[in-house]
Amino acid sequence: LERIEQSHNLSPGLRGLAEQLAGLVRIQRGKEESGPELIREGLSIPRPTAALQSDWDLRSANGRLALYHQTKDVSELERAITGFERISERVRQGEEATLAGNVLWNLAEAYACRSDHTQDPADLDAAIATALDSLHPVAADVLLQSGAEHGLLAARKGGERGILVARWAAACDHLEEAVEALEWSRALVLQAASASAGVPELLRARGQRELADAWSGTVSPTPGELDRQLPSSLRRRALEALGYRRHDERRQLFGIPTTEELCDGAAAAGSDALVYLVPGDAENPGVALFLVPGIGSKAFLVPALSGKGSGPLAAYLDAAAARSRYRTEAADRVWEDALGRLCDWAWSGVMGDIREMAVLLRADGSGNEEERDVAPPRIVLVTCGNLGVVPWHAARARDGDRYRYACQDMVVSYAASGSQLLLTLGRERLAIDSAPVLVADPRLSLTHAEREISALRADFYPRARLFGEFYEPPVPPEAPGTPEEVLELLTAAQPLSLLHVASHGSAGPSPAVSALSLAFPGESESWPAGLGGPGALPDAGMLTVTRLLDRPAEHTARRSSGPLVVLSACETDLSTRDHDEALTLATAFVARAARNVVGSRWTTADGASALMMSLFHHFAAVEGLDPAAALRAAQLWMLDPGRQLPSSVRGMTDRDMELPGLDRPALWAAFIHQGHPGPSYGATSVRGVA
């Protein structure tokens, strides 16, 4: 920077650019070093030529806002607002598209700061409206990227913003806006991937055949293609043609459901409440936002969700990271102790109140009073931020000399977002044994996988197709179980009723690379583009979130039914980063095809998991329970001190029941349900039970 400033050989245009860069660097250093004088130096750079006017306006407004944060000088705040308003007006006229998200967000932040001084509700209203406008360009940027991994990078900035806007909106009882903010900040990559697959059809319906053909022509139809090489200019033109801005009457992308639609969806799914859990900041409480069929939306402050009140959550995250890193018995013990304290906190701070609120709200709603008095409440949780790692169904309180867990009082399901919950409602539940596929660990590295799959086939699914590897297969496996073979099962001509995978799973450092460990493609198979051939890449046999989401459009046709996917593997509903994105293997399966998914939030014990999976399938296939209730029934069985094996579970023995500590949350609470959260009205199970 000093060499540029001292150079005497620059043209006027380059010197002007260098001066603007110098000002920008000073402002950025001033922000990072709490140096108001550096910021003032950066702001003192004179106004540039017309060609650099936009950059100067943005630099000036950002500098004024930074200066306000350090000095609390309200006059600087007013000057920042004036600058951002000037740029945002150009944004709303369709100019400065690449700046839209950041400009509108900074203006929203400035309005919120001014509301702290004026206490004028109009300022906070303006902050909320402008912030919501800013989230739409973020979503558009996700769609502009060329794959799930790049989309994730674009989506990260939307997560924290959405949570903050939701808290602003809930504080002034704008609950429709709070839900809108959370829906925008949740699962942006999932929504963008789904929208991307349908873009050509939307364009053709708009008469944009040339754009549609260009979009389709640049997407390789090769199965397993990891990246859509769509030029950003083409994506931008498609977005403009379809409409993506919040107030664009043409908008067809990124539809956000209203609170009324979400309440209706929860009712259709047989749920009593859809509950968003929103973390607070260091000092301020979080929010529980209830959407209740027949009643509407209600918000409640939750002090335990503040940074100050959620110490057990922070301790658990540290212990989980250490357990994953060191993999020792000592780390396991520390982690399990932290898990216990987390379950205590989850009840006393959150789930105890949610249970009471659900019962009260249920009593005020409509429906069959007698049935509501007998059946436990059904709750769907959308958990934001780091709250996504908590096993809320295992929240507990002391009951004499034992614990009582949340799952004993209610049926708890999870959803990445309200939009994803609605996505499952149009998928019919098939008879569970009509077309089942069972996959045993293709790498023969999971001790109980072969036994688990063989027992499920013998006890419940004698006509199931087998994939994977076996030392002693009950019948010859149909295929090795490569990622592409598993993906093809989801779109085969015959609808799949059940996909049960017993293999290793892992939550990657980036959510898009979380994966199931499957078979390596053989020499005769087509390899994903860019991966070379056998041995070229060590993870070619991994079914990653990216490969699930980046299927070409023709491989993601809408179906009227969806399978139950059971991921009997470690960490299949866990992200070690970007928890707010809820981007996991479980949510990716829901986004692509599944009606219901059972996944896990931590590494589990093989023997206990195999036992619990047999019990889950007993309750689903023999007792005819829906998947959410079947998982709960299996967990209640693990908690029952008088437990006995059902007669249908012949693949397990009394020796399996003697495994130590089956009632420990570490052994049963890892598994969660996502997807359609309620009974299947009109559908029948394998035994004919509705």
Side-chain angles (χ1 to χ4, degrees), residues 550-615:
D550 284 353
R551 298 288 283 173
E554 57 268 34
H555 290 269
T556 55
R558 294 183 180 274
R559 288 185 176 274
S560 61
S561 62
L564 163 62
V565 176
V566 181
L567 303 176
S568 182
C570 301
E571 302 180 343
T572 51
D573 190 56
L574 174 69
S575 168
T576 57
R577 188 177 174 188
D578 300 288
H579 304 294
D580 188 60
E581 191 60 27
L583 186 60
T584 66
L585 284 162
T587 60
F589 269 103
V590 173
R592 272 298 171 245
R595 187 180 192 269
N596 293 278
V597 177
V598 172
S600 62
R601 292 204 164 161
W602 56 77
T603 301
T604 56
D606 292 351
S609 295
L611 174 62
M612 189 168 157
M613 287 296 99
S614 285
L615 291 161

Side-chain angles (χ1 to χ4, degrees), residues 447-469:
T447 305
H448 288 269
E450 178 177 348
R451 183 186 177 208
E452 177 179 325
I453 294 301
S454 297
L456 293 180
R457 190 178 191 279
D459 291 349
F460 308 111
Y461 310 111
R463 294 182 295 136
R465 301 158 62 193
L466 295 186
F467 283 52
E469 293 292 335

Side-chain angles (χ1 to χ4, degrees), residues 606-678:
D606 292 351
S609 295
L611 174 62
M612 189 168 157
M613 287 296 99
S614 285
L615 291 161
F616 167 76
H617 284 283
H618 161 78
F619 288 113
V622 178
E623 299 294 337
L625 299 181
D626 61 86
L631 180 61
R632 172 180 179 262
Q635 291 171 334
L636 296 185
W637 187 94
M638 299 281 277
L639 290 168
D640 183 3
R643 66 181 79 89
Q644 292 184 349
L645 279 174
S647 59
S648 66
V649 182
R650 297 181 295 273
M652 297 292 149
T653 66
D654 291 337
R655 183 176 179 181
D656 296 297
M657 289 180 57
E658 294 171 1
L659 291 169
L662 289 179
D663 60 346
R664 289 157 43 205
L667 296 187
W668 61 264
F671 291 99
I672 60 89
H673 170 267
Q674 295 221 23
H676 193 297

Side-chain angles (χ1 to χ4, degrees), residues 329-637:
E329 290 185 6
D332 276 347
R333 287 193 297 271
V334 172
W335 168 81
E336 188 163 351
D337 287 344
L339 175 63
R341 291 191 293 273
L342 181 69
C343 293
D344 296 338
W345 165 83
W347 179 267
S348 63
V350 184
M351 289 300 284
D353 292 339
I354 284 181
R355 180 193 177 280
E356 295 303 316
M357 192 59 61
V359 171
L360 289 174
L361 293 174
R362 194 185 209 198
D364 292 338
S366 59
N368 187 304
E369 296 286 344
E370 182 178 346
E371 182 180 337
R372 288 205 313 272
D373 289 341
V374 174
R378 286 178 178 259
I379 305 297
V380 180
L381 294 179
V382 177
T383 53
C384 305
N386 283 345
L387 302 181
V389 304
V390 180
W392 298 100
H393 57 287
R396 67 186 188 182
R398 276 286 181 184
D399 184 11
D401 60 348
R402 299 182 61 82
Y403 284 106
R404 185 164 187 84
Y405 292 88
C407 63
Q408 293 175 284
D409 294 325
M410 61 188 97
V411 183
V412 180
S413 294
Y414 298 84
S417 64
S419 299
Q420 194 174 60
L421 169 64
L422 298 184
L423 181 65
T424 67
L425 299 185
R427 296 172 181 166
E428 180 186 355
R429 177 184 170 197
L430 299 174
I432 196 168
D433 73 337
S434 61
V437 172
L438 308 176
V439 183
D441 176 24
R443 303 189 186 188
L444 291 173
S445 59
L446 193 62
T447 305
H448 288 269
E450 178 177 348
R451 183 186 177 208
E452 177 179 325
I453 294 301
S454 297
L456 293 180
R457 190 178 191 279
D459 291 349
F460 308 111
Y461 310 111
R463 294 182 295 136
R465 301 158 62 193
L466 295 186
F467 283 52
E469 293 292 335
F470 297 79
Y471 288 110
E472 298 180 359
V475 295
E478 185 173 310
T482 65
E484 195 57 40
E485 288 167 347
V486 171
L487 287 170
E488 288 298 326
L489 288 170
L490 301 174
T491 53
Q494 180 187 16
L496 196 66
S497 64
L498 167 68
L499 174 65
H500 184 110
V501 182
S503 73
H504 280 293
S506 61
S510 168
V513 297
S514 296
L516 285 174
S517 178
L518 298 175
F520 286 92
E523 293 185 6
S524 62
E525 295 181 69
S526 60
W527 280 59
L531 290 185
L537 198 68
D539 65 352
M542 303 295 277
L543 177 54
T544 63
V545 167
T546 292
R547 294 181 75 173
L548 273 167
L549 294 183
D550 284 353
R551 298 288 283 173
E554 57 268 34
H555 290 269
T556 55
R558 294 183 180 274
R559 288 185 176 274
S560 61
S561 62
L564 163 62
V565 176
V566 181
L567 303 176
S568 182
C570 301
E571 302 180 343
T572 51
D573 190 56
L574 174 69
S575 168
T576 57
R577 188 177 174 188
D578 300 288
H579 304 294
D580 188 60
E581 191 60 27
L583 186 60
T584 66
L585 284 162
T587 60
F589 269 103
V590 173
R592 272 298 171 245
R595 187 180 192 269
N596 293 278
V597 177
V598 172
S600 62
R601 292 204 164 161
W602 56 77
T603 301
T604 56
D606 292 351
S609 295
L611 174 62
M612 189 168 157
M613 287 296 99
S614 285
L615 291 161
F616 167 76
H617 284 283
H618 161 78
F619 288 113
V622 178
E623 299 294 337
L625 299 181
D626 61 86
L631 180 61
R632 172 180 179 262
Q635 291 171 334
L636 296 185
W637 187 94

Side-chain angles (χ1 to χ4, degrees), residues 80-165:
I81 289 174
T82 299
F84 285 129
E85 286 178 337
R86 185 163 51 244
I87 306 170
S88 66
E89 184 57 35
R90 299 201 296 269
V91 166
R92 291 188 170 103
Q93 292 174 2
E95 304 173 26
E96 313 288 4
T98 58
L99 302 178
N102 286 333
V103 168
L104 293 172
W105 175 256
N106 287 334
L107 178 57
E109 184 185 10
Y111 283 144
C113 290
R114 188 165 70 181
S115 75
D116 291 339
H117 294 284
T118 64
Q119 300 299 310
D120 185 349
D123 279 330
L124 193 53
D125 288 347
I128 294 168
T130 306
L132 288 172
D133 287 344
S134 80
L135 293 177
H136 286 246
V138 173
D141 285 345
V142 173
L143 189 55
L144 284 170
Q145 305 309 310
S146 59
E149 179 63 28
H150 293 151
L152 177 61
L153 294 174
R156 280 184 182 136
K157 58 188 175 185
E160 291 184 2
R161 293 179 180 181
I163 288 175
L164 182 56
V165 178

